[in-house]
Amino acid sequence: MKRTIKMGAAAFAAGLMLTSCYSYTTVVGKGAQGHQEVKKWNHYVVFGLAPVDVSDAKEMADGTQDYTVTTKHSFITGLVSGLTFGLYTPTTTTVIK
């Protein structure tokens, strides 16, 4: 019985350590020319398959022609997804102008 508990604990710890954060970056025009950031959460349901409210990077750039867009799953959004068992899966979009 003790061995099963130890193996379960080891598997759980390995699962926590082997997780990663998804990140996707797009450069528009010449890319970010400054350090001004605008962040917004994107809301998805059913493991990210159905979008509910997704940010518009062009609108977040507020008319700027050169900017960088990064969309990612961070630790916090992954935690929220895990706590809801994947029913609600947010991501974060960051626009750097």
Side-chain angles (χ1 to χ4, degrees), residues 2-69:
K2 282 187 174 184
R3 184 175 183 165
T4 305
I5 293 172
K6 285 182 182 179
M7 291 297 287
F12 180 74
L16 286 177
M17 291 187 290
L18 295 175
T19 61
S20 63
C21 297
Y22 163 80
S23 179
Y24 183 77
T25 301
T26 304
V27 176
V28 179
K30 296 177 185 174
Q33 302 297 309
H35 300 287
Q36 184 181 9
E37 286 188 5
V38 179
K39 291 185 179 185
K40 185 175 177 187
W41 271 31
N42 304 305
H43 308 283
Y44 296 93
V45 292
V46 191
F47 301 102
L49 296 175
V52 175
D53 181 28
V54 181
S55 61
D56 181 8
K58 201 172 202 179
E59 182 180 299
M60 291 170 66
D62 198 31
T64 304
Q65 298 297 317
D66 302 318
Y67 54 95
T68 302
V69 181

